Amino acid sequence: GPAAPCFGYSIRKGAAMGRTILGVLAGLVTMWLTVAALEFLGHAMFPPPTGLDPKDPKQLQMIIAAAPVGALAMLVVAWAGGSFVGGWFAARIARHPRVAAVIVALLVMAGVAAMVMLIPEHPRWVSGLGLLLPIPVALLAAKLAAKREKTLPK
């Protein structure tokens, strides 16, 4: 009857939404792993001063104040890298690749905004780039993920 085409359409639509949700979840996991790995690398390259506890807010302020530009740049690299890798994975899996990649980027930006509110001592260029880069980087990743799709055999 007339309900059959609608039912089939809603199943396809639901499958596309499910693929997009799965893409976003995969993107979030890979984004988090990438940010953690790059921040760890940044700490290895630019170790914080010894004797200071980053879990203590007052000592964390001192660590940030003493941080070299390279250590702060690694934060930006971690956030942008997480947006790229997470956005790429999200776009690769999702039926709505740009949407999925931007959702991952928005969550990176939410993390940056929370960090800025909790630790306002970060230099403005760090928080500014942390808020400006994720969406364009994730959209570039989505575009690159889509290009690869076109080269796969049918």
Side-chain angles (χ1 to χ4, degrees):
C6 292
F7 183 68
Y9 173 76
S10 72
I11 289 175
R12 282 193 307 276
K13 192 173 180 183
M17 182 175 285
R19 265 301 277 274
T20 299
I21 291 169
L22 183 63
V24 169
L25 292 175
L28 290 176
V29 169
T30 55
M31 173 272 290
W32 184 83
L33 290 171
T34 302
V35 170
L38 289 172
E39 284 188 0
F40 182 80
L41 178 64
H43 291 301
M45 291 168 55
F46 304 97
T50 54
L52 294 178
D53 180 11
K55 294 181 185 92
D56 178 338
K58 293 287 182 210
Q59 292 182 37
L60 181 59
Q61 291 175 7
M62 293 166 56
I63 291 170
I64 293 167
V69 171
L72 297 169
M74 278 304 292
L75 280 176
V76 176
V77 168
W79 300 330
S83 294
F84 184 87
V85 174
W88 189 90
F89 272 94
R92 195 79 181 98
I93 294 168
R95 287 283 183 233
H96 304 286
R98 290 170 53 94
V99 170
V102 168
I103 290 171
V104 171
L106 288 171
L107 289 166
V108 170
M109 292 167 67
V112 171
M115 182 272 319
V116 168
M117 290 185 344
L118 292 172
I119 311 163
E121 292 78 17
H122 281 82
R124 286 196 178 133
W125 68 268
V126 172
S127 47
L129 288 173
L131 293 171
L132 290 173
L133 289 177
I135 289 177
V137 167
L139 287 172
L140 172 64
K143 186 175 184 176
L144 294 174
K147 279 186 180 179
R148 186 160 182 269
E149 182 79 25
K150 291 176 188 168
T151 63
L152 292 176
K154 297 273 179 202

